[in-house]
Amino acid sequence: MISEKQLAEEIQIIIQNAIREDVGEGDHSSLACIPENATGKAKLLVKDEGIIAGIHFAEQVFSYVDPSLKMEKLMQDGDPMSYGDIAFYISGSSRSILKAERLALNAMQRMSAIATKTHQFSSLLKDYKTQILDTRKTTPGFRAPEKQAVKIGGGENHRFALYDMIMLKDNHIDFAGGISEAIQKTLNYLKSKDLDLKIVVEARSLSEVEEILENEGVYRILLDNFNFEETKKAVELIDGKCLTESSGGITLETAQHYAECGVDYISSGALTHSVHNLDLSLKAI
């Protein structure tokens, strides 16, 4: 995964671009009717159930828009939330609060949905060694907060992007001429570039698992669309030689069954691509 410093830089780029997109030359609605020196206070009102996420992100948004704004936090990222809860108060320039409102809300609503979905998976897996992973199936331009939300919900991040882990999937393997060819070419590439990146290889069958195991240097085998019986056999075959990951349409209804097979990880794109924003609102008081 990328460093905390890189992640912080990604967040700042996202905030800068989102404010540019939303505010442009100015918030004319506020400029038209709110005096420049007017001050006010607003509360973040929860109107849903789940796990709250994005409070720290919202704090960064308000600070970027106007460093003089003051936030009083009543909740923290990762706390369970219920209808009627107040997550925080924000006070200061009324214009500044209104300028930052939409970005803060949009981010928190989506991040809370992702954290809630992730928490549902992680709660199901709490009695197993299996951990829930996200994927790169994220909203373009908003990956960093979405991956933060997965962590807040109790999950783990897969790679952040194409540059921080090698992942040889079906198309890589087919284009490279086969599993062993793809792995060997990758090892040679990493050596030539003096790169230290973990290698994950996708298997589509037990015979492909066997071929992967014939090669050195594989960190994790991704068992793609294996059924329960095939997954059990694959885990037995791998026998701790490298880590295991199940993927492919795994749901809350099937996650425990895959965990019972003994895999180290379950990855799910649904954590980020199939959630419905939770209902939060910012109300002037």
Side-chain angles (χ1 to χ4, degrees), residues 67-84:
S68 71
L69 292 174
K70 304 296 182 185
M71 179 183 282
E72 178 189 351
K73 289 183 276 191
L74 281 64
M75 301 177 72
Q76 300 294 328
D77 286 329
D79 285 349
M81 62 180 183
S82 300
Y83 190 97

Side-chain angles (χ1 to χ4, degrees), residues 46-52 79-85 112-113 116-117 120 276-280:
V46 175
K47 301 163 71 176
D48 223 321
E49 306 278 332
I51 301 296
I52 198 159
D79 285 349
M81 62 180 183
S82 300
Y83 190 97
D85 286 343
S112 295
T116 299
K117 183 82 166 182
Q120 291 171 343
H276 299 285
N277 286 3
L278 298 190
D279 193 0
L280 307 170

Side-chain angles (χ1 to χ4, degrees), residues 37-270:
N37 60 353
T39 59
K41 187 174 184 179
K43 62 183 179 182
L44 193 290
L45 181 63
V46 175
K47 301 163 71 176
D48 223 321
E49 306 278 332
I51 301 296
I52 198 159
I55 293 174
H56 181 60
F57 182 88
E59 186 174 27
Q60 290 175 284
V61 172
F62 286 117
S63 178
Y64 175 79
V65 168
D66 184 346
S68 71
L69 292 174
K70 304 296 182 185
M71 179 183 282
E72 178 189 351
K73 289 183 276 191
L74 281 64
M75 301 177 72
Q76 300 294 328
D77 286 329
D79 285 349
M81 62 180 183
S82 300
Y83 190 97
D85 286 343
I86 298 172
F88 61 76
Y89 293 103
I90 187 75
S91 58
S93 164
S94 299
R95 285 184 178 181
S96 296
I97 293 172
L98 291 168
K99 184 185 295 185
E101 173 188 11
R102 181 43 52 197
L103 175 56
L105 278 176
N106 285 354
M108 287 192 65
Q109 288 173 328
R110 182 151 187 82
M111 290 178 72
S112 295
I114 291 168
T116 299
K117 183 82 166 182
T118 306
H119 180 72
Q120 291 171 343
F121 272 97
S122 61
S123 296
L124 285 172
L125 301 175
K126 62 182 175 61
D127 295 327
Y128 303 90
K129 70 172 184 177
T130 310
Q131 294 180 290
I132 186 70
L133 292 173
D134 55 22
T135 70
R136 282 171 49 241
K137 296 176 182 178
T138 55
T139 307
F142 199 66
R143 178 171 294 174
E146 291 189 346
K147 283 189 169 282
Q148 282 187 323
V150 168
K151 294 279 284 187
I152 291 168
E156 292 295 327
N157 296 144
H158 210 296
R159 56 180 174 170
F160 184 82
L162 291 171
Y163 55 77
D164 62 330
M165 180 183 282
I166 298 287
M167 191 166 176
L168 303 177
K169 293 178 68 67
D170 53 356
N171 284 337
H172 298 93
I173 290 166
D174 292 340
F175 282 143
I179 287 173
S180 295
E181 292 85 350
I183 294 171
Q184 290 308 310
K185 288 175 181 177
T186 297
L187 291 171
N188 292 338
Y189 171 82
L190 292 176
K191 184 178 180 180
S192 70
K193 298 294 183 181
D194 194 25
L195 292 172
D196 181 20
L197 298 176
K198 292 182 172 66
I199 301 174
V200 179
V201 184
E202 179 182 291
R204 294 165 286 189
S205 66
L206 288 170
S207 62
E208 288 194 345
V209 171
E210 291 175 340
E211 184 174 354
I212 293 168
L213 291 172
E214 293 171 0
N215 293 270
E216 298 292 329
V218 176
Y219 171 69
R220 188 161 76 227
I221 297 178
L222 189 159
L223 308 171
D224 188 49
N225 287 301
F226 279 45
N227 61 33
F228 302 139
E229 190 60 37
E230 290 169 336
T231 303
K232 287 179 185 177
K233 289 179 180 178
V235 170
E236 291 171 3
L237 192 62
I238 294 166
D239 193 28
K241 298 180 182 71
C242 56
L243 296 175
T244 54
E245 172 188 342
S246 286
S247 70
I250 298 173
T251 66
L252 289 168
E253 289 68 38
T254 60
Q256 280 185 314
H257 297 300
Y258 280 98
E260 288 166 358
C261 295
V263 294
D264 297 293
Y265 298 99
I266 289 171
S267 57
S268 174

